Amino acid sequence: MNSGVIVMAGASGFMGRRLQEAFRRDGFEVRTIGRGAQNDAQWDDDLAPVLDGADALLNLAGRSVSCRYTKKTADEIFSSRTETTRSLGEALARCPNPPIVWLNASTGTIYRDARDRPQDEADGELGTGFSVSVARAWECELFDAPTSVRKVALRTSIVLGADGGALSPLINLARVGFSGPQGDGDQVFSWIHLDDVYGAVRHIMADDRIAGPVNLASPHPVRNRTLTAAVRRHFAGRLPDRGVPLPRWSLEFGGRVIRTEPELVLKSRWVEPGVLTATGYEFAFPGLDEALADIAKETPRGLLRVQLG
């Protein structure tokens, strides 16, 4: 699928904005669904007309998880994923000419905390806890939706790119000296360059054999201590053996201060891109050093703005 019409839902964030630009650059017509009047449809509208006749649907809707899990924020995280996915499924069922494929965001954190072996789509073990419960419900809404279009759940690992996302706070920490290992430093960090998110989405759209869960992750995850050293090298000019470590207690305290959950850093996410590898996807940035070197070219000096959920 080299051109056509793609509908993007919930695409106003860090990842969505860049994907929109990439699709338009490659000649796609992009229709958007969101909460503002600038979109082709808003969530309270009848969504069927904007979906009808499109070639693909990519749903990225969901409240940021970079926040403290209070009752209010937990409800918002859950409903912003499940209710939007349910609305899209119901709208697709009413379309005379629905898209061929529906790619719906999910998360690699659906798997258990893993330090012993990678977790792929075939034999990965699902975890427990709030984040996993959200991911399970999210995917259930996708796969139980009353439409026969090809459905793909994008179990996305940590997305790395310039000007936002999870990398900005790591860069800020490195630039003020707090760039040593986080926690014990042995937790696995699965990641993917933003360009490979786009590449993988295009690959999935074009290959009608691909359906079900798909892990979006580089084939070369790293330990946390390797990650922090690499961020220090590329963005702070520090030697690999320097940088103040952040033990668990400091991350738990800091999480309260900046209103986020330490789980985002401390959980060991070892996500294996089994489906992408088996179907021949070639990563533009398979290694962390080359990914960070590319991102560094677009990253200004000084502390970066970090937007919390």
Side-chain angles (χ1 to χ4, degrees):
M1 190 182 297
N2 295 320
S3 63
V5 179
I6 183 165
V7 178
M8 293 185 64
S12 61
F14 158 68
M15 191 164 70
R17 293 194 306 270
R18 294 289 288 270
L19 294 183
Q20 282 191 65
E21 293 170 3
F23 275 114
R24 290 193 170 104
R25 183 184 64 238
D26 287 347
F28 283 80
E29 176 190 339
V30 180
R31 304 173 188 167
T32 60
I33 299 170
R35 301 195 184 280
Q38 74 277 11
N39 295 286
D40 296 284
Q42 299 185 51
W43 288 109
D44 291 336
D45 297 338
D46 180 1
L47 303 180
V50 76
L51 293 167
D52 195 50
D55 297 287
L57 164 63
L58 174 59
N59 177 30
L60 303 174
R63 186 202 194 283
S64 171
V65 296
S66 183
C67 61
R68 296 297 289 181
Y69 294 163
T70 64
K71 175 66 167 61
K72 179 177 183 292
T73 58
D75 287 347
E76 290 173 350
I77 287 169
F78 190 92
S79 63
S80 66
R81 287 159 172 74
T82 57
E83 291 178 8
T84 52
T85 302
R86 185 182 310 128
S87 295
L88 289 169
E90 293 170 351
L92 285 169
R94 299 193 301 272
C95 285
N97 300 289
I100 298 169
V101 59
W102 175 9
L103 301 95
N104 206 77
S106 182
T107 173
T109 203
I110 196 171
Y111 299 110
R112 66 171 173 85
D113 185 292
R115 301 188 182 209
D116 55 334
R117 68 173 183 87
Q119 308 291 304
D120 68 9
E121 301 91 342
D123 61 3
E125 300 171 78
L126 303 191
T128 58
F130 171 69
S131 297
V132 174
S133 297
V134 171
R136 284 174 177 263
W138 201 2
E139 291 191 4
C140 281
E141 290 292 347
L142 169 66
F143 294 122
D144 290 346
T147 175
S148 60
V149 304
R150 178 164 61 99
K151 302 168 185 172
V152 178
L154 302 175
R155 291 180 175 173
T156 309
S157 58
I158 303 298
V159 178
L160 303 182
D163 192 30
L167 189 56
S168 291
L170 291 175
I171 293 172
N172 285 345
L173 284 171
R175 286 177 172 171
V176 297
F178 291 96
S179 53
Q182 298 167 325
D184 63 17
D186 287 330
Q187 66 271 36
V188 179
F189 179 80
S190 286
W191 60 276
I192 186 169
H193 190 291
L194 186 52
D195 286 357
D196 276 314
V197 174
Y198 179 65
V201 165
R202 291 290 306 274
H203 175 79
I204 293 165
M205 288 166 57
D207 191 335
D208 60 11
R209 299 172 298 168
I210 301 175
V214 176
N215 291 344
L216 297 193
S218 160
H220 301 298
V222 297
R223 299 284 173 172
N224 175 269
R225 64 181 68 254
T226 302
L227 165 71
T228 54
V231 171
R232 185 164 62 243
R233 253 191 335 270
H234 287 281
F235 298 97
R238 304 298 180 102
L239 295 176
D241 59 348
R242 296 179 61 187
V244 177
L246 294 170
R248 174 182 284 270
W249 68 263
S250 67
L251 293 168
E252 291 174 346
F253 175 77
R256 295 189 187 96
V257 173
I258 65 172
R259 307 188 311 281
T260 193
E261 290 291 330
E263 175 202 31
L264 300 176
V265 172
L266 294 173
K267 182 174 180 177
S268 186
R269 296 172 173 85
W270 195 343
V271 183
E272 180 81 8
V275 171
L276 290 179
T277 301
T279 56
Y281 178 69
E282 295 185 9
F283 284 83
F285 296 97
L288 183 64
D289 268 319
E290 57 194 304
L292 295 182
D294 177 75
I295 294 166
K297 293 183 292 188
E298 298 182 55
T299 302
R301 296 183 179 183
L303 296 183
L304 306 178
R305 183 177 66 89
V306 177
Q307 184 173 351
L308 300 176

